Amino acid sequence: PESADLRALAKHMFESYNKAFPITKAKSRAIMAGKTGDKSPFVIYDMNSLKAGEERIKFKQTPLQEQNTEVEIRIFQRCQFRSVEAVREITEFAKSIPGFINLDLNDQVTLLKYGVHEVIFSMLASLMNKDGLLIAAGQGFMTREFLKSLRKPFCDIMEPKFEFAMKFNGLGLNDCDIAIFIAVVILSGDRPGLINVKPIEELQDSILQALALQLKISHPDSPQLFAKLLQKMTDLRQIVTEHVQLLHTIRKTEAEMSLHPLLQEIYKDLY
Amino acid sequence: KEKHKILHRLLQDSTSPVDL
């Protein structure tokens, strides 16, 4: 394709990204820097601030029987609710990728099943710095140390995501770069069980060209950025595999834990 | 198809509730 077409594709992906995702990297960085004019996020760093935060932060969903459940389970349930929301947002974004909805419907399902968590962990990096992460659409900031202080196995959930995020954030991507990158991730033609790989690879190929051009324009001083970013796709698969293993452990050891049906569908026979 | 019925539904109509 001509470079004008590739720029139009990049612009389109950036627009659908802004439409599909309520919190962007730019917004998140502005909140963390205290530059939004809104209230600064409520910091959760121990059990007392967690209790205060739970009263102060307006969560989108309040799970039932919350009061009596253990802290770790409550936090985990909120992560689940947010993940389900994210799957819905990512689905909307995927549908906006030119050609995606014309793929075999079963292949669309497979691409989402394998892609959503890689997208979630890429985008989670935008909400993180080395000390913690923004929660509840920027109303709160939960510290990394607090998450590490939770009891086993819950203390092991977020730490690998922070480690990945620090490396990923080091690439200095902007929201437009990320938008095109996650489209590339979704359109991976090597997911298990795909029926018709060729049209997926063709779609991914034009998005890859759009990404290469976008990075060249927005980061002229980092000629290796495209290659470095593609390497991150391997790290993402590793993180998802470990995440799935950890969830299996949690499901076995935590009798109180229930897994949302949508997440059950995604995790079932994943890796 | 049965195995992924919520994903199917989201793909066809993402405005339908997911029963959070």
Side-chain angles (χ1 to χ4, degrees), chain A residues 124-143:
Chain A
L124 194 58
S126 299
L127 305 176
M128 289 176 157
N129 64 23
K130 67 175 177 27
D131 300 317
L133 87 151
L134 283 180
I135 58 164
Q139 295 178 82
F141 181 84
M142 195 173 270
T143 67

Side-chain angles (χ1 to χ4, degrees), chain A residues 66 140 185:
Chain A
E66 178 153 283
V185 168

